[in-house]
Every structure is written in C-alpha cells, then in structure tokens.
Amino acid sequence: MQYLHFALVFLFENGLHVSSQCTAQVSDFYMPGDFLIGGLFDIHYAQADNHHVRPEALDCSSQRFSISNYRRFQLMRFAVEEINNSTSLLPNVTLGYEMFDHCSDTRSFPGILKLLSVNGQIQPWAEPYRTLSKVIAVVGPFTSTQALTVAPFFMVDLIPMVNYGSSSSVFSKKAKFPSFLRTVHPNSDVIEVIVTILKHFKWHWVAFLYNADDFGYDGLNIFRNQITDTDICIAYTRALMTGENFSRVFQQIEMQRIHVIIVFTAEMAAEALIKSAIKSNITNKVWIANDAWSLNKRLLKMKDIRNIGTILGVAQPLLTIPGFVDFIHSIERQSECGHNGQQMLCNQVCNCSDWRAKDVLEADPSFSFPVYSAVYAIAHALHHSLQCGESGCNNITVYPNMVLAELQKSNFTLLNRTIQFDKNGDLKFGLYFVVFWNHVGDAQQIGFYKFYPKVHYYIDSEEIIWYTNGEVPTSVCSQECHEGYVRKQTYPQKCCFTCEICPNETYINVTDDPYNCISCKATEWSKEGSTSCNPRLVEYVSHTEMSSVLIMAGAGILVGLTGAISVLFALNYNTPVVRSAGGPMCFLILGCLILCSVSVFFYFGKPTNISCILRYFPFLLFYTVCLACFVVRSFQIIFIFKIATKFPKLQIWWKKYHGQWLVIAGAFTVQTLLLAISFAYDPPILYNETSWYQDQIVLFCTLNLEATSGTFVLVVVLSCLCFIFSYMGKDLPKNYNEAKSITFCLLLFTVTWILFITIYILYHGKFIQTLNALAVLCSLYFFLLWYFLPKCYIIIFQSHKNTQQYFQGQIQNYTKTISQ
C-alpha cells in the first residue's frame, strides 16, 4: 500500500500543475473551519474517458453538467452553514468543507489526494497522526464504481466515508470497508421493493436492464437471488453502455413478448433509454424505475412520455428541508460558482452560470435527504467526540477514527426521521414510496414499503391508470394452468411450461409446488384434476346388518342343533345306529363342528388383527379333524368288510394300537404345525383395501395363500381320501353304507367353495366377507344335515331299524349277495 501511495503522490504533485485551465478562484467548493468535511460530487458527468498519452487529470468543467448532482452539492454547503449557525450542535466550533467535482472513476484523483494531504504532502510512511489533516470525514462520492475506486485510500487510516448514493452490497462487508457508512439504502432494499411490486401484480416475465458498472451488476445479482424461490423469471437482461443504440434491445423485448421492463440504471442512462423508447415508438409496456431516476422531472415532463406505457417507480421519501429554497435563491445572483481569491485545485470549477434557482429547485430531488443527513451524522459524531455541552466543546485533539466510532453509534432524529446505522454501516430505519407517473406530469405516490421494525407495504392499484384502460397488464411466458392442472417444465425458464391434469388419487397445491402432483394418503381419495383429497369412507360388515344377523343366527342354530344331536346320540349311545355312525367319534365330529362355527362370528364387526386370526384358525384346524374322522370312518367300514379277511394281522394291529385315533391325532398335529408355522411367518392381519373403490376403504383381512398352502393341501388330500373310500364302499349294507351321504356332503362342500372363489374374483366389496362366512357355515351344515340328521330321523321316527336284529339281517343279506 505504501508503494501505491508513493506513486499516487507523484501523480498528485504533477497533477496540481498540469494545466492552467484546471485552476480556479476560491469558490463554493471550499470553506475554512476548525474541522473540514470532504465532499465528492459528480457535478459534471464524464460519459467516457478520452484516450490520453501523458498523466493529467480530467477537467470536469468541460464535461456534461448534471443539475441534480449540482443540487446535492449545494445541499451539503447549506447543511454545513446551517450547522455553523446552530447553537446546540457544535457550539463555538466552525465546520468547514472542501469539495471536488468527481466526474470520472479513473481520472479525478487529485481531489482525493488533496483530502489526504497535509500541507500539500502525503507521507504514508510517517507515524500515524503525527501530521494530521483537518479532514475528519468525507461525504460521497455518488456512484458505486466511484466509491469502490476511492474508498481504499480512506479505509487505510479509518477516515469515515458517509456515502449518500453508493448502494452496492459490497460496502456492507466491514472487513473490506471498515470506515464506510451510508445514508442511502443498499441495492438489496430497492430490489426487494421491486420484487414486491412484481409479486403484487403477478408479473412473472420481465426484462432487467442495468448499468454496465458495479452498481448494475450488483443489482442484477441481487435480483436473481431474490426471485429464486418465486414465479418470476428474467426473460431478458442487458447491460446498457454509454452511447448505445437501443433498437436491438427493444427488438429482443418485443420478440419475447415481454410487457414489464425493470430499468435499474443511473439517471443519465435511464434518460437515454427512455428517449430512445419514445423515438422508437415502443408502446404497451410497464416500466419500473429504481430510485435513481423514478423522480426525474425532465422525463416526467417529456413530450410523448405517456405513449411508451405505464411507468411505476421506487422512490425515496421527499422531505422538505427548511431554508434550502432561500439558500438557493441567495446564490442565484452569482454568475460563477466561486468568488475572487487565491488559486484552487482543478475540479473545483463549476460553469453553472446558465442555471437559475428555479432549475435547481426543480431538479430531481432524489438523494437530497441522504446528503443532508450524512453531513448531520458527521456533525453529531464530531459533537460527541469533542464532548460538547451547552457551554461549548472541549479543546481536544480529534482523530478520524474517533469520529468513526461515534458515527457507528449514531442515534438522532432529523426532520422526524431516525438516523441510526446497523453493524454493516447501513441505515436501520427507512422506507420507500411506490410512485406512478400520472398524466399531468407528476410522480404520484400510490404506496409505500416500510423496512423497520418489520416489513409492511401497501399499493393502491386503483390510483394507477394503466395503458390497457383499466385492467392490470399481464406479463407471463405461459398462461396460468387451470385449477387441478400441474405445470410441466418443457423450457429452460421455469415460467414457460405446459399444463397437464393431475390424475386420480393425486392433487395439486399451487402454493407449495405447482410443478408436481401430490399423491393422496392411503386413507384419502381424489378425482382427476383435484386441488385436495377427500377422506375415504371406511367400510366393513357390521354386526347389525341384516345379512350379519341372519348368518350369526344360522351359526347359533347350528350350535343348538349340534348340541341337541350330541344329547340324542349320548342317550342312544349303545344303539346300532350310533355305533355304526362312529360311536365316540361322532361326539368328536360334533364338537369340532361347534368349534368351527365360532369362526363365523369374527367375520362381522370392525376387524382387528386378533379377529383376523380367529376367522381362519378354528375353521381350518377343526374342519381338518372332521375330515380326518370321515376318512377314518369310511376306511374302517371298507377295512371290516373287504380287507380284514385278506390281511388279518393288519386288523389286529389296527385294533391293538387304535389306528383310527392315530390317524385323527396325526392329522390334527400336522394341521396345527402347518397353521402355527404359516401364521408365525405371515399371520392374517387387518388390511385397508383401497383398490376396489376410489372413495372407500374396505377393512379386510389378508391371508397369505403361499404361506398357508400346506394347510389347504392337507384339506384337499383328506377330502380326496373321503371320496375314494366312500366310492369303494358303495355296495356295502345300507346301514353301513355312508358313501352317498359323505360323497354328497363333499360334493356340496366343493361346489360351495368353487362358487365362493368365483364370486371373490368377480366381485369386490365388503360383502365378500359375508359370503365367506356363509361358505363356512354351509360347509358345517352339510355334514350336520346330510350325515347326522338321517341318523337322528331313524333314532326318533324309525326305531325298528335301530335294533341289533335289523342290522344283522342287513349283513346276512349282504353276505348272501356276495356269495352268489
């Protein structure tokens, strides 16, 4: 940094004597005082630096004059004089200033070096504060690029820079700019208001035009960041260059059907753009101005300005500064900016004799209060640094870093506005106005945006006269999808899309995610093109339904009949009919039928995991025992009449070891193991069946057929053995011939379950469970009615057939038939 300072000192000392035309008399640029405030104002605007071959400073007075910046220049002079006339602020202390016309980013450094110099010299190698300049702080410069080039010179020695116009976000980084504060809001605040306007009017397809400098690039980056999570898209961007032909820009905007143009530029660039738009006959656009030109009175009064469309803007609050009008009129008689006296440095000359007080007062008033408050902030900081009181200020040495410390603690009220800085050196309080350029040539306030203590805004849309004659203009790439339709991204820009309807069982929530259909929960349903899901109706067969009552009543009757038959068989236990029916085995069959009937009751009511198990376990286990009994019973009759004589030892073994009970116990054990294994692996559980009906949940019990396949195989095997043994005994004595009854029972059993499976495949609904219970109940009734009931009939109504003599006669007749 020392080498840099040394080089600049050399440039400074040469630049002071480069050209006699860069000198001027004592002027409005300088006023002596106990302490000086530096001021940097681009009263003239160098549109482009001319090529030069030797080191020389630029003569700003030869460049284009900016009356709005001249107004700000005079406002600083007024503020200093007002402070000096104050009895409460800096009493007995005279505040002076030294200002320069800083018209160029790269060739206006003599003024900067003069502010840093002591007695015409800069000694960067000297000990700090040994030689002290009277300059305690600097106001300006105006643009971000200007501030970026000059700020490092002041940051080294922590000389406060209180800026009134540089709004780039980089200045909020205190590591790089520790002594930089500003009385203007950063770009992020202005962009925040612009984005709010776009959201308010639902403009999603916009162009963003910006200065080709640090200010413009920063604004573009902030804008991109702030619209990341919104529906706003940048359809076109362009960095505007000085002297550019804008016809190509307007062609691109028209080609992309953009109706909203954000112009985030400095005053001069905006003037050139708008004038070109009028000349090119650009119409039917909404123009959004940033605070740099939203109050530009030259454009407001320009002929045909209304033809380009509707102009909205973000504007700083306009505050009337008491006494400033009189101050401007008091200097109107001066033909030059300076008075007679000693020679001054270059860029302290102002060729402004052609401008009258009226012109100055009617210039763009933007950034007026930031200049005014910047000077007052420095004065208050100096006031505290000097420990001033009612009687005066202490005579102590004040260094710039002391003023900086007090500036950072600023908290005072000026024209009813609180001036206070945050940790980044930005204003804590403030608001922006939203303005509309009306047809009488005024910037009409139609809303506001307040930042502190919380964000609050208001826009009165009714006050805006749109170029569409009433309706708010639209600016979109693709029209909004109808309700229930989702956006499908088919283009790079998120604002350009096609619309597809959301299918069944999904819905679209445009607020949260307009690009994806959201699946409904398992307990909900929706039609095609829905914006919400509806709860499904939960269906199950209740205990109170007529079908449930009838089936449960049938199960109860079966239990009653089975019990009655058991009693009848017990009373006639030693009769031939009971003995031929199986004797003690009959009671096992009847008991199993009762236990099987228990499962019927668990098909009704709201299912649970326990009830699901009890639907299948009792029936499958005890019905297997019934079938095993019938297999054994059929086999025993065939064995006695047809096998015993051929295999006497087998008969002895069968009787000795109770073969019939071994078979039944084996079937029971195998089925118990199969059920235990299958239910442990995948038990029947409650299942919400949602595929049958769109708007219903049918509470159902799942049964893994693969896991329980062994159980069903055993039932089928026993059924087949029954058929085989029954068929083999078709020619036995009538009293012992049970083939017909067992075969008929099994035939009905098979037909019933085939019919149920067919219905189960074709019909889906809660009543499938009713049919399942009915099939179980019918399977039990078949054995009860076609096996036991005929025997009951003989016992009760044909007792003559229930005698030993009758049975022996039947056997003798069978023997005679066989022998013949």
Side-chain angles (χ1 to χ4, degrees), residues 746-766:
L746 291 175
L747 181 62
L748 291 176
F749 170 80
T750 304
V751 171
T752 299
W753 285 100
I754 290 175
L755 185 62
F756 169 74
I757 293 171
T758 303
I759 295 173
Y760 182 85
I761 295 172
L762 298 177
Y763 167 74
H764 297 129
K766 68 176 183 177

Side-chain angles (χ1 to χ4, degrees), residues 440-457:
V440 296
D442 293 328
Q444 177 184 344
Q445 179 185 334
I446 58 167
F448 64 86
Y449 193 98
K450 188 176 181 181
F451 295 100
Y452 193 88
K454 63 179 182 179
V455 172
H456 176 61
Y457 82 95

